[in-house]
Every structure is written in C-alpha cells, then in structure tokens.
Amino acid sequence: MEMSNKKTSPFLSFLFISAIFIQCFPYVSSIGVNYGTLGNNLPPPSQVAQFLKDKTIIDKIKIFDVNPDILRAFANTGISVTVTVPNGEIPKLLDIGYAKSYVEANIKPFYPQTKIDVIAIGNEILHWETPEVQNKLVPAMRTFYQALTQSGINTIKVSTPHSLGILLSSNPPSMARFRPGWDVGILAPMLQFLRETKGPFMVNPYPYFAYNPQQVDFLLFKQNKGVFDRFSKKMYTNMFDMLLDSVFMSMKRLGYGDVEIIAAETGWPSLGESFEPQCTVENAASYNGGLLRKYVSGAGTPLMPHRKIETYIFGLFNENTKPGSAAERNFGLFRPDFTPVYNIGIMKGEPLPLPLPPKPLPQPALPQPQPALPQPRGARHPGKPHVPRPGKPAPKLPAQPIPKPVLGNKFCMPKPEATDAQLQANIDWICTNQGVDCRPVQAGGLCFNPNTVRSHAAFVMNSYYQTKGRNDFNCDFSGSAVIVFADPSYGTCKYLS
C-alpha cells in the first residue's frame, strides 16, 4: 500500500488520541454539581439521589441551604454533600452556644449517614454583604468549626465560596492579586484558618460572565490560539485555567499557595433571551464537556500542573421559577424529568464527547447598518442569599442619541427589566463606600440630566465597573446589569471606558 507523505494536523492528532483515551476510559472519574431547587416541577430529593447514584458519574453535590429532605435523601448513597449556612446566620454564629445548637439541629441528625464533606458559611459574602458582615465572616467560620469539633465531628471542613470580585485583577494571571483591604484584612486570616484546618478555598469562576464573541473558542474549551502570559511564560488555552491561576497567584502572594482550591460553581446556560446569543445548547455542551474532560484528565493548570481542582458544575436542573432572564432558568444539565439537556459524558457508560471544532467568526463589514447586539454576561443562580450580576441590552436613556458601537470598549449598563428600586440600591451602594466619583449625577453635574434613577444608575454602575478593573464580574449588581459594546455617552455626559 502506498504511504502518504502528508502530515497530520495537530488538531486531528489530538482528536485521534482523545478517541483512544475515551474508548479506554469511558468514565474514569466523577464531578460535582450544584443542586438548586428553585423550580415547582422538580423531582423529590429521594428520586434525585437515586438517579445520581445509579445513572450518573456525579459523586458530589453542593446545596444552597441545609435542606433536611435533601440531606436525608442522600444518606448512605456515598455521594458527598456540601451544605450552605445562610448569610443571615453569620452574626449569630459568633456565639459558640448558638453555633453548637445550629450544629445539633442541622448537621448531627444527618451525619455521618449523609457524607457531609464541607459546610459553607454563607455565599459570596465579600462581594455582596456589608462590611459589618464581612468582618464577622472569619470569626464565624472559626466558631462554627469549634462547634463541630466540640460536638464530636472532626472530619467536616468549614469554608465559604467567593465570587471573583475578590480579585483586583485577573489578567495576566501571574500579576493577579486580591483587592486591597480584603487581602490582609479578611482573606489572609481566612487562608490561615483553612491551612490550620485543612479546609479548601472556594471560588466561583464563570468564564460565561466574560462572554465576548471574539474570544468564544477560548471560553468554550475549543481549539484556539491561546493567551500568553509574558511574565510567567505560560500559555493559556482556556479562560477557566486563567481564572483559577489568578486565584492561585493571589493566594501565593499572601503566602498561602498550599491551600486547596475548589471551583465551587461554574457553568453555562443552554437557552437565553434574544439578547443572550451565547446561551445555546452547543455552547453549554462545549463548555461543560470541556470542563469535564479537563477534570478527568487531572492536568491541572499552567501554574498548578497535575493539581486536580475539585469542580462543581452549575447546575443540576433547569429551574423554572428562578428570577431573571431565561438564561437563569436554563443552567441545568438535566430537565426535571431527568432527561439530559445535552450529552457531555455525565451518564454512566457514556463516553466523553470529542471537543467541538471552532466555528469561524462572522466578519460583517463595518459600514453595514446592523445594530451591535449587546453582550450580556450572565444571570445569577439558585437558592442562595445573593446579589448582583449581568445580562441584557443597553437601555435607551431618555433624551439620548442612539449609542454608537465603539470596537474594543465595554460598558456596564442596567438591564431594561431592572426596577428603579434595584437601580437605586445600586446607586446607594456604589456612591456610599466604593470610592466612585458620583458627582456627575448630582444636581449641576454633567450627567444629572435626564434626572431619572435609570440614567443616574447607568452612569455610576459603569463608573464602578471601569474603575474596579473592568472584570466582567464587576458588572453584575444582582443580575440587574449587562455588559454592552455601544458607548452610551451623550452630550456633555461622557462615560468612562
């Protein structure tokens, strides 16, 4: 037989090797999932537990409360459970007596029959709670851990999940650091506690919130040119790794690079509104499939090679009563009847799918009179005490001209469905203690007119986003904001970019 002299492309070689790997190891590992319950058509916890145990490779769940029905249902399944103590309990947990009673009522009745591995004290406290609650977080974690040990429980870890709003910057990862004030004031004592108790540092990395059509392959684990960090000399082929390495370097700067990291939430919705074009079944399957392949490989990240990062996909089910855009209700791997929304190798005996090849980006001529679609970033998630994040087109502010696209710039705007109450709360929060100059929207300021809550909120929300690092997680505001690419400046009112 005649031999060909043609060289095989690196991508085809990768597909070939991947196919061999997949056939040999159809489901070599497992992965965690966030089990939210904001739906009126969801199956009972007992059926969920049996389904996960019998039909899937999921061996870890994370819930957003201490739901006794769920804890009871997962008894003797071998599936690990992370539970969440609500944010509002934090001030009370400083009292060791109250902490012990909380453990007696909510943990001991189910443990060890239910394999509770981690107790999360609140959720994204530093990003959304008041300084008063933030300053009580680490003492509450210590007191709760003490309550556990005094109750005879010494195998459960205590931690708390963080949004990536804790980062001052994340690009390049080698130069990342935590926000000043939080770094040595809260995060260093927390990391010291986690080191002492061998607990994990939990973060919620969402490449979804950084959606940009020009970087879609980089976000979705597809073949791409990569991003080179010129300081560490590391090449990144996906944003998930970049975000985790940014967290790692920030921890390392404080002297805690040895503390375990858990990716407590990450995912991609399969359906969204017309202004959420990134929310498709294909994109969700590509992201979560790539995530699963990465987790199974144990490859780690460029700065943490071969370090297996425990990962929890958001989420288990599509939840039909979640507020916000359609994307919020379609983060699930499964429909309520247990049918998969798409195949990523989660079912037992099901091979991991091969990575999807990149799609060529459309290249419309700039002069075409095609309005630029807004690029929303997200919507928030399940039954957790939470606030801010992004998702819809730029609102048309009264008495303003139509915004003009400005290539390369991004702006943070209120969603059209955001209420005046939400937007006023955003203004109050930003202008009170966040170091943002709000004088332009005050009487006599260049952006005072039109004198509406929405107009003022648009200016100050964008100012916050721009001055805090232009990270996509800085444009959230409890799901009341969205990233757009059209400059909303008008007249004498110039928006930062």
Side-chain angles (χ1 to χ4, degrees):
M1 183 169 65
E2 191 175 61
M3 299 294 289
S4 170
N5 291 324
K6 292 182 179 179
K7 292 182 179 179
T8 304
S9 74
F11 184 61
L12 290 178
S13 299
F14 171 74
L15 293 181
F16 178 72
I17 294 169
S18 298
I20 295 174
F21 179 83
I22 289 166
Q23 293 303 316
C24 295
F25 304 99
Y27 50 97
V28 265
S29 192
S30 56
I31 197 164
V33 68
N34 285 271
Y35 176 9
T37 55
L38 294 183
N40 58 20
N41 58 355
L42 298 179
S46 57
Q47 290 183 17
V48 175
Q50 200 65 44
F51 170 73
L52 294 185
K53 178 184 176 184
D54 295 344
K55 303 294 186 181
T56 78
I57 63 170
I58 294 167
D59 73 342
K60 298 179 285 287
I61 66 165
K62 177 170 160 282
I63 61 176
F64 298 94
D65 48 25
V66 285
N67 187 316
D69 293 331
I70 294 178
L71 293 178
R72 197 175 295 113
F74 279 83
N76 304 310
T77 60
I79 296 174
S80 299
V81 181
T82 293
V83 302
T84 304
V85 177
N87 291 16
E89 297 288 342
I90 289 173
K92 293 179 281 187
L93 291 178
L94 298 184
D95 179 347
I96 184 64
Y98 182 84
K100 288 177 70 173
S101 66
Y102 195 95
V103 169
E104 291 291 329
N106 297 287
I107 305 300
K108 286 198 76 172
F110 310 102
Y111 179 84
Q113 292 82 4
T114 300
K115 190 179 176 185
I116 302 173
D117 280 355
V118 179
I119 296 174
I121 306 301
N123 188 67
E124 299 188 343
I125 300 298
L126 296 189
H127 205 147
W128 312 124
E129 289 294 340
T130 64
E132 180 185 9
V133 177
Q134 294 170 1
N135 291 329
K136 292 177 179 177
L137 177 57
V138 177
M141 292 168 67
R142 285 191 173 276
T143 305
F144 199 92
Y145 186 81
Q146 183 183 355
L148 284 172
T149 56
Q150 290 183 8
S151 299
I153 300 173
N154 54 19
T155 58
I156 297 178
K157 309 302 181 186
V158 172
S159 188
T160 187
H162 302 281
S163 82
L164 293 195
I166 59 174
L167 297 176
L168 179 64
S169 62
S170 59
N171 189 13
S174 61
M175 302 300 289
R177 61 186 66 241
F178 292 129
R179 290 190 180 280
W182 288 349
D183 53 357
V184 296
I186 297 176
L187 293 171
M190 181 183 297
L191 288 164
Q192 179 61 34
F193 163 75
L194 295 175
R195 174 184 282 169
E196 293 169 3
T197 59
K198 296 181 171 55
F201 189 68
M202 303 173 77
V203 293
N204 297 340
Y206 275 95
Y208 168 70
F209 294 137
Y211 174 73
N212 182 324
Q214 302 302 317
Q215 287 188 303
V216 67
D217 294 333
F218 185 68
L219 301 177
L220 295 176
F221 292 97
K222 293 183 180 181
Q223 185 187 32
N224 62 87
K225 294 179 180 178
V227 175
F228 184 67
D229 185 335
R230 63 190 179 94
F231 298 103
S232 67
K233 310 302 181 187
K234 301 294 184 182
M235 177 66 77
Y236 289 86
T237 58
N238 64 83
M239 182 166 281
F240 182 76
D241 281 354
M242 282 189 71
L243 295 177
L244 288 181
D245 274 356
S246 296
V247 172
F248 170 70
M249 282 304 301
S250 301
M251 296 166 63
K252 193 172 181 181
R253 287 184 195 286
L254 295 179
Y256 295 96
D258 58 312
V259 174
E260 177 191 2
I261 297 173
I262 285 182
E265 275 186 47
T266 188
W268 199 285
S270 60
L271 180 67
E273 309 286 358
S274 60
F275 54 82
E276 296 171 314
Q278 73 273 35
C279 302
T280 66
V281 168
E282 181 185 63
N283 284 354
S286 181
Y287 179 76
N288 286 326
L291 192 71
L292 182 56
R293 284 192 301 273
K294 176 176 182 55
Y295 181 78
V296 166
S297 74
T301 69
L303 293 179
M304 296 181 285
H306 312 300
R307 188 163 161 181
K308 199 159 192 177
I309 308 294
E310 189 171 307
T311 301
Y312 291 78
I313 294 175
F314 188 86
L316 181 55
F317 293 112
N318 286 337
E319 299 169 68
N320 69 345
T321 64
K322 286 179 65 178
S325 73
E328 281 300 301
R329 296 181 285 280
N330 289 280
F331 267 91
L333 295 172
F334 297 95
R335 303 177 184 90
D337 64 357
F338 296 111
T339 57
V341 178
Y342 43 82
N343 165 37
I344 60 168
I346 282 287
M347 306 300 288
K348 284 183 177 177
E350 184 178 75
L352 296 175
L354 292 172
L356 295 171
K359 277 190 174 182
L361 287 171
Q363 301 293 332
L366 289 179
Q368 287 182 335
Q370 223 172 304
L373 283 175
Q375 306 300 338
R377 281 312 174 296
R380 242 343 218 167
H381 325 329
K384 43 183 182 178
H386 177 124
V387 201
R389 283 221 174 167
K392 196 164 184 180
K396 290 183 179 178
L397 300 179
Q400 292 180 210
I402 297 173
K404 300 177 288 297
V406 179
L407 298 180
N409 288 342
K410 298 194 292 184
F411 302 86
C412 181
M413 292 287 104
K415 291 182 181 178
E417 72 269 24
T419 66
D420 279 359
Q422 288 177 301
L423 299 181
Q424 186 61 55
N426 293 344
I427 294 172
D428 295 343
W429 182 72
I430 294 168
C431 296
T432 300
N433 57 6
Q434 298 304 313
V436 172
D437 183 6
C438 294
R439 289 174 296 178
V441 297
Q442 295 170 0
L446 295 177
C447 300
F448 178 70
N449 289 317
N451 183 15
T452 66
V453 171
R454 180 169 293 275
S455 180
H456 292 178
F459 182 84
V460 300
M461 288 162 66
N462 181 68
S463 296
Y464 176 87
Y465 167 70
Q466 304 292 346
T467 58
K468 298 300 181 182
R470 302 184 76 244
N471 300 299
D472 292 285
F473 48 74
N474 296 130
C475 181
D476 179 18
F477 301 103
S478 292
S480 65
V482 59
I483 302 271
V484 301
F485 294 91
D487 187 349
S489 299
Y490 61 96
T492 58
C493 182
K494 304 301 181 185
Y495 279 59
L496 296 177
S497 63

